[in-house]
Amino acid sequence: MFRNDNGIFTVQDLGLIQKGFGSAVWGDYDSDGFLDLLLNGDGGINSGEASDFIYRLYRNVGGTFTAATTFPNHRQISVGDGGRFADWDNDGDLDIIITGFNDAENRQATSIFLNNLGIFTPYVANATLPGVSESSIEVTDVDNDNDLDLILTGYSGNNFGGTGSPYNSNVTVLVKNGSLIPNLAPTAPTNLSATGNQAAVTLSWNAATDVTTPANALSYNIFLVDQAGKWFYYPLADTTTGRSKLYRLGNVNLNKSWILKDLPAGTYRWGVQAVDNSFVGSTFATSGFTINANGTLPIILSNYAVKADGKKSLIEWSTSSEQNNSHFEIERSSNGTNYFKIATVAGKGTTSATTNYSVYDNNPSSGVNYYRLTQFNKDGKSVSFGTKTINFSFDPKALVIAYPNPAESNVGIRLTNFTGNKISVRMTDLMGRVLHTEVIAAGNGQGYYPLHFNSKPAAGQYMLSVDGEGLRQILKLTIK
């Protein structure tokens, strides 16, 4: 193995039995936080093993590799991807899939071995799996039923389909998984942080959790993109939904921090998702940072979260240092596309001390609320730290209508089953220009409340936004 120490590669002898004309694949089968190695291939002179028909699993404990078990009677007969780690039975640990010519059965074979606390047992349906050698295999969820399916390609020796089969010796075959246990995605990582300077920025995050995959065995997938849309790290996953485009370990493996060196000055958005042993990804937790022209980061964000506090949203964030920080803006959206500002919070200028910030949104919408945090430097440059979401389900019986509607002169708000103490009303024209705002005391929960215009609005169509504790509705109003 060539070990990378700060860009310098040195040869490290892992003490493995040498193999050639085969494949190697990494995975943490024992969930101890270290990547183990499944190695196969032909033996030969001075290899330490004459057999060509062995897959061997090496356990990694802190960088020391020892042989854990072997899977005999399978010869890949090619370089490629003849073996895989994958959680075939959705129990949270990595099982092993191998392919090759089976010398004991004199046929091409595909075999799955299920992992139970480090003990591997043959899958009951191994005899019915299409066999291939000179093989390459992939796993993915073809039918979107939350378990892994298997794609095999290679030489079948006319074994697949039996005598008279319409398939020739070179096949690509899909094997659907019949597991009745669906897999659930892990939670997203938390407490994203970017520290350092242009020479080396360290991204870090707290571990995610999963229902079945142990936390130590979760891998992580990051993305990094600048404001011009140039990707520095692409995650091979949908950065909005988290859905994997390629089912394998995350691109930074089991690490919970990653160092980026010599990035150009500019503003960056980054995110990280957790990936479980079925290679299902969480949604991406997102953040951002700016590298100034002098190579420094204007602020280092150490925490950013949104949570419910009764019927209010609490937006909290922390910085571990700030440089020329003017202020923050917090925006809200009900659809993740159209945002409006709900608060501006002054920054601390320049400080190396930890600073905690928080803002309440007293009138979140019923349903999903999207919050966006943006930081502004004193020179006007800004960076967005991504969005956070929170879902509220308010009493659906609360009702507000504009009355009368259409209106000729007087117009007001009729409330039913409102549980708050006051509401705020904002009227805009169809161009979004604010024409009237008013706060109404509405402590009895229902009734009619007239609006008090300075002058009668011109005839036309208007929008009324009505906000109150646990209530947010947008009404269309027609004035004749």
Side-chain angles (χ1 to χ4, degrees):
M1 182 179 77
F2 290 89
R3 179 172 176 171
N4 179 7
D5 291 306
N6 199 29
I8 305 298
F9 289 85
T10 55
V11 176
Q12 180 178 349
D13 185 357
L14 300 181
L16 310 179
I17 295 176
Q18 299 300 302
K19 292 289 185 178
F21 208 52
S23 62
V25 61
W26 298 89
D28 185 11
Y29 85 91
D30 55 356
S31 302
D32 65 350
F34 297 100
L35 289 176
D36 308 302
L37 176 63
L38 179 66
L39 180 66
N40 80 294
D42 291 359
I45 299 174
N46 298 324
S47 71
E49 182 173 69
S51 174
D52 298 334
F53 291 85
I54 290 178
Y55 281 76
R56 180 171 281 104
L57 175 63
Y58 290 92
R59 184 185 181 198
N60 175 10
V61 180
T64 299
F65 289 80
T66 56
T69 190
T70 58
F71 304 92
N73 306 121
H74 290 73
R75 184 187 181 197
Q76 185 175 311
I77 324 179
S78 67
V79 294
D81 299 308
R84 281 298 299 268
F85 286 107
D87 184 10
W88 184 255
D89 55 1
N90 277 346
D91 66 349
D93 51 23
L94 286 173
D95 309 308
I96 286 177
I97 306 171
I98 63 175
T99 59
F101 182 78
N102 188 314
D103 59 336
E105 299 178 10
N106 195 33
R107 69 179 183 91
Q108 275 73 31
T110 297
S111 300
I112 300 174
F113 294 89
L114 301 180
N115 178 7
N116 184 17
L117 300 177
I119 305 299
F120 290 88
T121 56
Y123 180 47
V124 293
N126 275 350
T128 67
L129 297 177
V132 289
S133 62
E134 289 99 322
S135 44
S136 183
I137 63 179
E138 280 293 345
V139 291
T140 187
D141 185 7
V142 171
D143 48 3
N144 292 322
D145 62 349
N146 298 312
D147 57 30
L148 289 175
D149 306 305
L150 176 62
I151 300 174
L152 304 164
T153 185
Y155 177 74
S156 73
N158 289 322
N159 170 263
F160 177 63
T163 303
S165 167
Y167 299 96
N168 62 25
S169 58
N170 301 311
V171 298
T172 298
V173 186
L174 168 64
V175 179
K176 289 190 176 181
N177 190 340
S179 174
L180 299 178
I181 303 172
N183 179 59
L184 301 176
T187 63
T190 57
N191 291 334
L192 278 61
S193 175
T195 60
N197 52 40
Q198 187 172 19
V201 175
T202 299
L203 308 180
S204 61
W205 53 90
N206 287 357
T209 59
D210 187 73
V211 174
T212 54
T213 300
N216 280 341
L218 291 172
S219 64
Y220 294 92
N221 205 22
I222 69 170
F223 75 81
L224 178 71
V225 61
D226 66 14
Q227 282 190 318
K230 178 180 178 180
W231 292 89
F232 290 77
Y233 276 79
Y234 187 72
L236 291 173
D238 189 311
T239 57
T240 300
T241 66
R243 182 173 174 82
S244 300
K245 297 180 180 179
L246 194 63
Y247 280 62
R248 56 186 57 196
L249 289 169
N251 58 14
V252 296
N253 297 321
L254 307 180
N255 293 288
K256 292 184 282 295
S257 64
W258 200 249
I259 299 175
L260 310 171
K261 294 188 176 181
D262 300 321
L263 290 171
T267 296
Y268 296 87
R269 185 169 66 91
W270 72 282
V272 57
Q273 69 171 166
V275 180
D276 67 16
N277 278 339
S278 291
F279 309 121
V280 173
S282 71
T283 56
F284 278 87
T286 58
S287 188
F289 60 90
T290 296
I291 299 176
N292 290 329
N294 63 3
T296 60
L297 277 65
I299 77 162
I300 296 175
L301 191 73
S302 56
N303 177 55
Y304 171 29
V306 176
K307 63 183 180 181
D309 187 356
K311 294 183 178 181
K312 303 176 183 179
S313 297
L314 176 59
I315 305 99
E316 298 178 303
W317 67 101
S318 302
T319 62
S320 54
S321 70
E322 301 180 19
Q323 186 177 48
N324 296 320
N325 179 21
S326 171
H327 65 278
F328 299 90
E329 290 184 358
I330 302 91
E331 299 169 291
R332 184 183 72 195
S333 171
S334 59
N335 58 15
T337 301
N338 301 314
Y339 285 84
F340 65 93
K341 184 170 65 176
I342 62 171
T344 299
V345 179
K348 295 296 182 180
T350 298
T351 178
S352 58
T354 296
T355 306
N356 299 314
Y357 298 91
S358 64
V359 164
Y360 273 100
D361 180 7
N362 295 322
N363 299 303
S365 304
S366 183
V368 179
N369 293 261
Y370 300 80
Y371 293 93
R372 183 166 64 191
L373 174 67
T374 304
Q375 179 264 335
F376 291 82
N377 291 348
K378 291 184 177 180
D379 62 5
K381 294 180 180 179
S382 65
V383 57
S384 174
F385 294 103
T387 59
K388 302 291 183 181
T389 62
I390 191 168
N391 196 342
F392 285 95
S393 180
F394 298 128
D395 186 354
K397 294 183 294 184
L399 178 66
V400 56
I401 62 173
Y403 183 83
N405 191 11
E408 292 187 358
S409 55
N410 297 328
V411 63
I413 298 297
R414 187 181 296 279
L415 289 175
T416 304
N417 296 326
F418 177 59
T419 59
N421 295 315
K422 62 182 180 180
I423 60 172
S424 61
V425 180
R426 182 177 63 175
M427 188 173 83
T428 61
D429 62 17
L430 297 185
M431 299 296 292
R433 292 172 294 198
V434 178
L435 305 177
H436 178 74
T437 60
E438 188 170 340
V439 177
I440 299 172
N444 63 1
Q446 58 186 359
Y448 175 77
Y449 303 92
L451 297 180
H452 303 92
F453 300 116
N454 291 330
S455 60
K456 178 187 174 182
Q461 299 284 329
Y462 299 91
M463 304 301 294
L464 291 178
S465 298
V466 183
D467 290 273
E469 187 174 352
L471 172 67
R472 174 167 168 74
Q473 291 192 32
I474 299 177
L475 311 173
K476 182 179 288 187
L477 172 65
T478 299
I479 295 181
K480 295 181 178 180

